[in-house]
Amino acid sequence: MIERVEAIWSDLEKIRLSIPLVGYMSGFGVMNNLSNMLLAVGAAPKAILCEEEAEDTVPVCSAMFLTSEMARGAYLDQFQKIMPKAKESGVPFVFDPAGVSGSVFRSDICMKLLSDGRPTVIKGNAAEIMALRALFIPQDDSSPAEDELSEYAFLRAAHQLSHFFECVVVVSGLKSHVVYQDEESQVMNGSMLMLRNADTSAFASALCATFAAVNPNPYEACINAMFVLGIAAEIGEQDSDGPGTYLPRFLDALANMAKYQLLLK
């Protein structure tokens, strides 16, 4: 655990010193809190608000992330160019297939985006990872049926996606999992109040992108990011009266995080 603390603290210091520019495309309702969260951890946010600036933003960013809910209409044509350009430019790219498990429309979007490019990281909850696997890796009908809520099922899906796309897969939740090929790590930190704030799923994508901006190993970067997210969530919960007071205290915990707090967790 000491080695992990040192690794997390090293990445946090690099973020705070280098202030990486993190470009992102997410739902308009979450953009303000996402920008505040990125500022709190020490990054510089760059929200992409129109399709005309999307492609030109890639080369100037240290990392980027995209949620599938934004890839619609005129945006989709631009976004299909972004992932290949990010890879060409060496910019870490996190893709969040938000809502893919419950929408044919978003399933089609994910198919189009991921058929044209390969992200550095895919980050989703268990249901989204299972749904994304079903889109790209059809299962043998002769194989035993899987309970989609079981840890074994979604971890198997995560490993399959990681091999298929040759990328890191993060399964977010109260217990998060970070997978790369045959490697796997668990992150146990977190708070139930995270489930009562709509923005925290996007926070995980944002932090994975931010840590990947300063750590050339995306697998290690995502482990460190999910630890920091979970620890800030636990600290923010301590003096919180509920979801309304939790969010600003979470941001404060992220901004003021010290090395000794990592050791305590």
Side-chain angles (χ1 to χ4, degrees):
M1 185 59 193
I2 295 297
E3 290 182 2
R4 177 58 58 195
V5 168
E6 293 295 338
I8 294 169
W9 188 246
S10 175
D11 280 0
L12 267 176
E13 285 192 313
K14 288 175 185 175
I15 291 167
R16 290 166 173 175
L17 287 171
S18 64
I19 316 174
L21 182 65
V22 179
Y24 71 91
M25 298 136 282
S26 189
F28 291 121
V30 74
M31 281 186 171
N32 184 64
N33 283 338
L34 269 175
S35 289
N36 286 337
M37 193 279 297
L38 287 165
L39 288 167
V41 78
K46 169 59 178 171
I48 298 173
L49 300 174
C50 62
E51 67 271 16
E52 290 83 3
E53 68 173 344
E55 194 175 357
D56 293 338
T57 302
V58 177
V60 301
C61 288
S62 301
M64 301 187 73
F65 68 95
L66 163 69
T67 60
S68 60
E69 62 187 329
M70 283 301 289
R72 60 183 185 270
Y75 277 89
L76 184 57
D77 292 336
Q78 287 295 318
F79 290 171
Q80 284 181 281
K81 303 173 186 176
I82 285 180
M83 246 186 281
K85 188 160 187 176
K87 188 166 187 177
E88 178 187 326
S89 304
V91 177
F93 194 99
V94 178
F95 178 68
D96 186 338
V100 67
S101 58
S103 168
V104 173
F105 175 70
R106 292 196 189 184
S107 294
D108 290 342
I109 285 173
C110 289
M111 284 288 288
K112 290 174 183 176
L113 289 173
L114 293 175
S115 294
D116 290 334
R118 293 293 184 265
T120 312
V121 178
I122 293 172
K123 196 290 304 176
N125 62 33
E128 289 162 350
I129 295 303
M130 291 289 288
L132 204 60
R133 190 272 303 270
L135 286 177
F136 288 93
I137 312 171
Q139 299 302 289
D140 185 348
D141 290 339
S142 64
S143 62
E146 293 178 329
D147 177 0
E148 293 193 5
L149 297 179
S150 75
E151 189 170 301
Y152 169 80
F154 68 71
L155 282 176
R156 181 169 179 265
H159 282 285
Q160 289 177 322
L161 284 174
S162 181
H163 280 284
F164 185 82
F165 288 111
E166 298 181 342
C167 72
V168 175
V169 176
V170 177
V171 188
S172 58
L174 286 178
K175 179 170 71 173
S176 298
H177 301 264
V178 182
V179 167
Y180 179 65
Q181 306 288 345
D182 296 324
E183 295 183 86
E184 180 187 319
S185 293
Q186 294 183 12
V187 180
M188 305 294 289
N189 304 88
S191 164
M192 287 295 292
L193 285 175
M194 295 176 73
L195 303 178
R196 299 177 68 187
N197 276 274
D199 302 341
T200 50
S201 178
F203 286 174
S205 300
L207 279 180
C208 285
T210 303
F211 277 71
V214 300
N215 189 329
N217 185 327
Y219 177 65
E220 290 292 321
C222 288
I223 295 171
N224 295 343
M226 297 308 289
F227 266 113
V228 165
L229 176 68
I231 292 168
E234 291 177 357
I235 296 170
E237 182 185 38
Q238 289 172 3
D239 297 320
S240 174
D241 297 319
T245 54
Y246 165 73
L247 188 57
R249 286 170 180 169
F250 165 81
L251 295 177
D252 285 346
L254 198 58
N256 299 322
M257 190 169 290
K259 191 174 183 179
Y260 79 89
Q261 292 173 310
L262 303 176
L263 289 165
L264 291 174
K265 299 295 181 180

